Amino acid sequence: MQAANADGPRSSETHEQHVERLFREHNESLLRYLRAKLHSYEEAKEVAQEAYVQLLGLDHPETVHFLQGYLFRTASNLAKNRIKQRIQRRRNDEIVFFDTSFEDNRSPERAWAGDREIAVVYRALNELPPTCRESFRLVRLEELSVDEAAKRLNITPRHIRRNIARALAYLLAAVEAAAKPVDNCCT
């Protein structure tokens, strides 16, 4: 009789028979171990099945000296991956792409005034020279760096900064002019 360790393959046993014996002798303890990790008997059965499939799929099973330990380690790694996936799914589910709870609490007059200011800004932007408008748009609206905008427009970074300053001054003046009350109205 062979005096191999209790987990080792017996002399007449194929790899598949050895895995089958491991299943019969250790499956219940593997399931208890996985259930404790995953908190789900169904998931524990799925992970155990995946571990046995990986064990059966070993190209060189003779290189593994303690197959039971390998089985438990494989199952443990699969369980950890499941837990990571579960956490990531929860995080993804929690991401709010659109806040549907937003309510516009502004009065109709304030909403109209805000819309009017936006229209003034757009009109003033369109009145700017093309290079000045494009410099402003790239840096302030598309959030490119001054150097990136300079490369894209084929001008110096200093020119970009000067254009942005001019655009901001022009837009501010346009908004202020639009906000001034008309003095000769309804007197």
Side-chain angles (χ1 to χ4, degrees):
M1 247 185 140
Q2 185 177 359
N5 67 28
D7 179 52
R10 297 188 177 133
S11 59
S12 61
E13 224 175 24
T14 65
H15 176 62
E16 289 79 14
Q17 290 170 333
H18 187 192
V19 172
E20 183 181 336
R21 184 168 51 84
L22 280 174
F23 177 81
R24 282 192 316 272
E25 294 174 2
H26 302 289
N27 191 51
E28 287 304 315
S29 60
L30 178 64
L31 289 175
R32 282 192 302 274
Y33 172 73
L34 290 172
R35 185 173 183 193
K37 277 182 143 337
L38 297 166
H39 306 289
S40 165
Y41 184 69
E42 292 304 314
E43 270 192 301
K45 288 192 315 189
E46 290 173 13
V47 168
Q49 183 178 0
E50 286 179 56
Y52 285 114
V53 167
Q54 284 190 20
L55 207 58
L56 286 169
L58 285 175
D59 290 334
H60 301 287
E62 67 279 358
T63 61
V64 178
H65 299 293
F66 190 61
L67 214 50
Q68 178 188 352
Y70 186 85
L71 171 67
F72 274 75
R73 172 55 61 196
T74 301
S76 178
N77 289 340
L78 290 169
K80 286 177 189 174
N81 290 342
R82 282 272 179 128
I83 292 167
K84 286 178 188 175
Q85 289 171 350
R86 190 186 305 159
I87 290 168
Q88 188 59 46
R89 261 188 255 114
R90 269 193 226 125
R91 284 183 186 151
N92 290 344
D93 291 344
E94 291 171 2
I95 294 174
V96 177
F97 288 103
F98 299 103
D99 186 7
T100 55
S101 66
F102 173 76
E103 292 182 28
D104 190 358
N105 293 329
R106 298 180 300 171
S107 68
E109 294 82 13
R110 287 189 60 156
W112 177 82
D115 292 344
R116 185 167 165 253
E117 285 181 2
I118 291 171
V120 167
V121 169
Y122 277 113
R123 191 169 40 254
L125 271 173
N126 288 327
E127 292 170 358
L128 291 170
T131 307
C132 188
R133 178 177 54 244
E134 201 55 17
S135 297
F136 180 82
R137 187 184 69 78
L138 290 174
V139 173
R140 293 299 179 142
L141 302 178
E142 290 191 22
E143 299 180 346
L144 293 180
S145 71
V146 170
D147 291 333
E148 291 170 326
K151 285 179 187 171
R152 194 176 285 186
L153 295 178
N154 201 24
I155 59 177
T156 66
R158 182 175 179 216
H159 199 141
I160 293 285
R161 284 190 284 276
R162 194 177 320 138
N163 283 340
I164 293 169
R166 286 179 182 158
L168 286 171
Y170 188 76
L171 295 174
L172 183 60
V175 169
E176 286 175 351
K180 287 184 181 176
V182 179
D183 290 333
N184 60 0
C185 178
C186 305
T187 55

